[in-house]
Amino acid sequence: MTEWRLDAGTGASAQTIALTTAGGVPEVIWWGAALPADEDLAQLAASARQDLTGGMLDALPPLSLCPEPGRAFQGQPGLVLSTAEGAPLLPAFAFERAEQGPGVLRLVSVAEGLRLVHELRAYPTGVIGLRTLLDAKRPVRVHWLAAPVLPAPQDGDIIDVHGKWTREFHLNRTAWSPGIRLRESRTGRSGHEHPPYVIFAGRGATNAAGTALALHYAWSGGHRMVAEELPDGRRQVQFGHAWGAETLTGTHFETAELLALSSTSGLNGIAAAFQRDLRDRVVQWPVPARARPVHYNCWEAVYFDHKLADLAAIADRAADMGAERFVLDDGWFGRRDDDTSSLGDWVVDRRKWPDGLHPLIAHVHKLGMTFGLWFEPEMVNPDSDLMRAHPDWMLGPADQVSGRHQMVLDLSKAEVREYLFNAVSEILAEYPIDYIKWDHNRLLPVVDAAQGRGIYELLGALRKAHPGVEIESCASGGGRIDAGILAHTHRVWLSDSNDALERLRMQHDAALFLPACVTGSHVGPRKSHTSGRVLPMSFRAWVAAQRHFGFEMDLRELTVEEAATLKAVTSWWKANRGWMMAGMIHRLDSDDPAVIAEVQVAQDAGRFVLFAGQAETSTQILPRPLRLSGLEPGATYRVRLLNAEDAPRQSRGPNALKSGELTLSGGALMQRGLQLPVAWPASIWVVEGIRV
Ligand code: DGJ
């Protein structure tokens, strides 16, 4: 027997993965909180050995990093392979060697003509990245290849994420039971429906306490997750590209990286580590020290109706409100008056813009803002010059159903990538643009991993050629949010819903995985364009101020009072974004289900801001105290309610925060909590704390 271990992280997110082999593909004997440095791994491996009884084979097939059907493993296999001609292959791998360096472990197994490498990498952010690589002497067909397979815990529940357009990031909690929980994105994107995240919450785990393990598959092209409880009681979890995504035979295949985390401080330990990992490792910031600018986006203001005079007037108001980047959305190219034409024709529409975009950009620059532009490069409308010239560039069958009147370009083709690289580059060369909103608005007609690799290659080439340009990943809102795309982009458009009530909940749940600095959030129109709800400016503005802040409405609709509120919140956000965007979001365990609350804490715990959103009417008459999280228990904080003016008429008692500051220890704030004034539904209290 041979054993290895890999450790990552510190404190409550310190984790260990320990492995052993008895001659076959190695198996994980421990994935969880860090083991003592002197843990005897041979004893640990011995202690993991199971008994046998009736109804079983005479040996328990190992739950290895790649459970093999060729070794009679009776659950879902980690690899499904055939010859190039289609005959099933059932290789039985033998362990060959381990290569271990600082923070890296590579385990190599071989079978007739095949080499399987499992690579584990410990990152300074506390994440362990796991990847599988397969090489074959002769071309083979891969139907399924799992990233290194892990044993799932025996206690607790599965929390995964579900969503749809305008309702992204909903948490599903499922109890384990014999059989399989299978989630698959077959839409060519990581998807609104089943984004590639899972948390195994230990029994009784809350946001602030308990144990949890989590995985995130860093791939944008569609994936599969299998969480299976075997008849013998063992549990396994597998992630990989969607079934059949490798459409061609080949001699080399690899999975994306599966990011693994462990926490002994509840779900917030997972959230903090994922937030840190995306912000400090995955995202490649052009200028890391640059403050995240306040955005203005014109989509819900003018849609396709681009007129210089209107946009210039809106830009004036945006700058006056404090915006620092003006983003011109869909409608500037080809003959794009609605969504039925022109995708692919990335040339400025001279009917709308006779002098090109120069006059608008000059105006925006004069107002002190930078300029961003919308593209949807992977797509083509049948009604476009590009499609007429290159009908063969389309992905999928000729008689496929369109989506939003559009087709997808085949990005596995070098000439398609070259065309798109040049088209985008020419616009970036002609105009001073520091930001691209990169959209992707349809489900793919086929599942094909080559499309995913193609988009990464195109984005990589554009980033190399234009290193100062930031990119936002948008896919009808949050249809492509994952660590794969975020390695090439800098912001995600969480949702097309700017309804603050919907956003409050979505942002709260997405914070399990996403840091504030990449999560775009805009103050939308008074009457939401996706729900019809009319919400007060204070609520809309403070909810957007929880994340990377911006506006998206016709700002000419603002009343004097609304403008004053928006301006005040914007200037508060600018004054605080430095520490907030570098800090952590802690989701609070609110004892009132009507209250969705979080506290954002600076890296040194020297300051915090509490956002307590009243999503609906509470059952009880008075608010329950909110226990904060992530503070220094022994430190003293001066605590101040920032928006006392939002107190409703019916708030008539002596709540201390309405009339002044309080000075309390972190311990008191975290254990007894903060007593807020009563609140109307669709309102939010914002409380600032500074260590004294
Ligand atoms: C979908 C995006 O999510 C919207 O924000 C907007 O950019 C439209 N596409 C434009 O067509």
Side-chain angles (χ1 to χ4, degrees):
M1 297 276 276
T2 323
E3 295 82 29
W4 309 268
R5 66 181 283 171
L6 193 73
D7 292 87
T10 52
S13 358
Q15 60 173 328
T16 302
I17 294 184
L19 307 102
T20 188
T21 176
V25 175
E27 63 184 296
V28 171
I29 44 171
W30 177 269
W31 170 37
L35 291 170
D38 60 355
E39 184 79 43
D40 184 331
L41 297 184
Q43 287 290 298
L44 190 71
S47 75
R49 281 206 293 277
Q50 301 261 25
D51 204 355
L52 293 173
T53 184
M56 302 181 74
L57 299 175
D58 294 335
L60 188 65
L63 201 177
S64 73
L65 292 168
C66 179
E68 295 153 283
R71 291 194 186 275
F73 183 76
Q74 284 131 22
Q76 291 299 296
L79 174 65
V80 179
L81 205 61
S82 59
T83 63
E85 295 73 35
L89 282 170
L90 293 177
F93 285 92
F95 174 69
E96 190 191 71
R97 65 174 194 282
E99 298 158 7
Q100 191 153 23
V104 193
L105 175 62
R106 281 167 59 87
L107 299 163
V108 184
S109 306
V110 291
E112 179 65 37
L114 296 169
R115 206 169 79 107
L116 192 60
V117 178
H118 292 109
E119 197 176 86
L120 291 75
R121 214 168 266 277
Y123 292 114
T125 52
V127 159
I128 295 182
L130 307 136
R131 187 192 298 273
T132 303
L133 301 93
L134 175 75
D135 286 289
K137 286 214 174 97
R138 277 179 298 280
V140 291
R141 188 174 292 282
V142 165
H143 306 279
W144 169 246
L145 177 63
V149 175
L150 294 165
Q154 288 286 316
D155 75 318
D157 294 329
I158 306 170
I159 299 177
D160 49 43
V161 184
H162 175 257
K164 63 167 191 168
W165 180 69
T166 69
R167 193 176 188 267
E168 286 85 345
F169 278 90
H170 267 260
L171 302 183
N172 277 324
R173 200 172 183 125
T174 321
W176 284 93
S177 59
I180 293 173
R181 175 157 178 81
L182 186 145
R183 297 161 64 234
E184 186 158 25
S185 167
R186 300 193 64 79
T187 63
R189 317 189 284 202
S190 36
H192 291 89
E193 303 79 11
H194 310 289
Y197 308 95
V198 69
I199 297 177
F200 300 112
R203 186 172 300 120
T206 62
N207 285 317
T211 61
L213 297 169
L215 296 169
H216 170 185
Y217 189 60
W219 175 246
S220 318
H223 55 275
R224 165 183 271 226
M225 179 198 92
V226 177
E228 180 175 28
E229 179 168 305
L230 300 164
D232 56 59
R234 290 176 300 173
R235 292 170 177 171
Q236 64 159 335
V237 56
Q238 302 190 1
F239 268 95
H241 292 3
W243 184 276
E246 296 295 357
T247 60
L248 301 177
T249 58
T251 54
H252 177 81
F253 297 89
E254 54 185 73
T255 67
E257 205 166 29
L258 180 62
L259 307 176
L261 276 176
S262 157
S263 160
T264 53
S265 59
L267 304 188
N268 282 339
I270 296 291
F274 272 142
Q275 290 172 32
R276 189 183 320 119
D277 188 56
L278 277 177
R279 186 190 60 209
D280 299 344
R281 180 184 71 86
V282 174
V283 174
Q284 304 298 306
W285 303 100
V287 186
R290 181 179 178 191
R292 308 305 299 132
V294 175
H295 275 208
Y296 174 78
N297 181 294
C298 69
W299 178 241
E300 292 201 346
V302 300
Y303 293 99
F304 298 98
D305 189 12
H306 289 195
K307 292 194 184 81
L308 176 59
D310 284 342
L311 286 163
I314 293 172
D316 289 343
R317 291 232 74 187
D320 184 40
M321 290 299 114
E324 297 162 309
R325 178 183 273 154
F326 183 99
V327 181
L328 185 67
D329 212 282
D330 195 355
W332 57 268
F333 53 93
R335 296 175 71 81
R336 180 112 165 138
D337 296 331
D338 55 32
D339 60 13
T340 60
S341 86
S342 302
L343 290 174
D345 301 342
W346 301 108
V347 177
V348 175
D349 182 350
R350 295 283 162 171
R351 296 170 310 153
K352 298 179 189 174
W353 301 100
D355 300 312
L357 301 175
H358 291 294
L360 178 64
I361 297 181
H363 187 77
V364 161
H365 281 178
K366 198 176 77 211
L367 292 166
M369 295 185 284
T370 66
F371 187 78
L373 193 61
W374 182 95
F375 286 90
E376 193 178 0
E378 294 147 272
M379 301 292 159
V380 63
N381 286 113
D383 180 9
S384 67
D385 294 342
L386 184 69
M387 183 79 145
R388 284 182 280 274
H390 298 285
D392 55 318
W393 282 7
M394 195 181 89
L395 181 73
D399 61 351
Q400 66 183 272
V401 179
S402 59
R404 207 193 186 202
H405 316 288
Q406 64 201 51
M407 301 297 186
V408 186
L409 291 169
D410 183 349
L411 290 194
S412 70
K413 290 186 160 65
E415 63 272 32
V416 174
R417 293 196 301 272
E418 193 186 325
Y419 167 80
L420 293 173
F421 175 85
N422 289 334
V424 176
S425 284
E426 273 165 33
I427 297 283
L428 295 182
E430 181 173 358
Y431 297 104
I433 288 171
D434 80 332
Y435 184 80
I436 291 177
K437 176 175 175 180
W438 187 292
D439 214 338
H440 181 292
N441 285 306
R442 71 156 276 181
L443 314 179
L444 265 54
V446 292
V447 175
D448 189 350
Q451 185 74 5
R453 289 189 283 269
I455 179 62
Y456 289 165
E457 207 172 311
L458 175 60
L459 283 168
L462 283 166
R463 292 268 303 116
K464 205 161 160 208
H466 310 278
V469 176
E470 286 182 14
I471 303 179
E472 175 179 64
S473 171
C474 172
S476 302
R480 189 158 65 181
I481 298 181
D482 57 82
I485 204 76
L486 274 164
H488 300 280
T489 57
H490 311 89
R491 190 188 206 239
V492 294
W493 186 228
L494 187 64
S495 175
D496 271 354
S497 174
N498 288 318
D499 175 324
L501 207 47
E502 302 285 343
R503 278 286 183 147
L504 177 72
R505 204 243 358 110
M506 273 188 247
Q507 289 173 183
H508 186 70
D509 289 337
L512 283 171
F513 312 101
L514 304 177
C517 59
V518 307
T519 311
S521 190
H522 294 170
V523 184
R526 188 181 305 125
K527 180 170 177 179
S528 165
H529 289 196
T530 53
S531 69
R533 271 196 196 110
V534 175
L535 293 169
M537 173 54 83
S538 173
F539 183 54
R540 282 183 279 149
W542 281 117
V543 169
Q546 293 184 304
R547 300 292 184 266
H548 181 194
F549 186 65
F551 326 133
E552 181 166 343
M553 69 174 101
D554 188 339
L555 291 163
R556 294 170 299 183
E557 81 169 27
L558 295 179
T559 63
V560 173
E561 295 75 32
E562 286 171 338
T565 304
L566 183 56
K567 228 172 170 167
V569 174
T570 306
S571 82
W572 177 87
W573 190 82
K574 283 175 161 174
N576 288 276
R577 63 184 159 190
W579 68 265
M580 276 170 71
M581 297 297 110
M584 287 298 163
I585 307 165
H586 298 253
R587 293 153 34 99
L588 297 189
D589 290 313
S590 167
D591 295 313
D592 182 347
V595 174
I596 297 177
E598 68 179 35
V599 60
Q600 297 193 21
V601 184
Q603 256 175 30
D604 66 353
R607 51 195 309 165
F608 70 82
V609 58
L610 162 71
F611 293 100
Q614 186 80 35
E616 52 188 319
T617 311
S618 296
T619 312
Q620 77 290 350
I621 296 174
L622 292 173
R624 298 192 195 279
L626 261 179
R627 284 167 286 112
L628 308 198
S629 200
L631 310 184
E632 221 178 89
T636 304
Y637 294 88
R638 206 172 52 239
V639 177
R640 187 165 70 96
L641 180 65
L642 292 181
N643 57 336
E645 69 281 3
D646 289 339
R649 279 186 289 124
Q650 295 85 348
S651 163
R652 58 192 180 90
N655 178 278
L657 284 170
K658 282 196 301 185
S659 50
E661 294 180 353
L662 287 172
T663 306
L664 292 163
S665 71
L669 286 164
M670 292 194 289
Q671 281 155 45
R672 209 275 314 272
L674 209 51
Q675 194 69 64
L676 294 163
V678 294
W680 274 346
S683 68
I684 188 164
W685 290 125
V686 187
V687 178
E688 192 175 74
I690 298 177
R691 191 169 46 203
V692 291

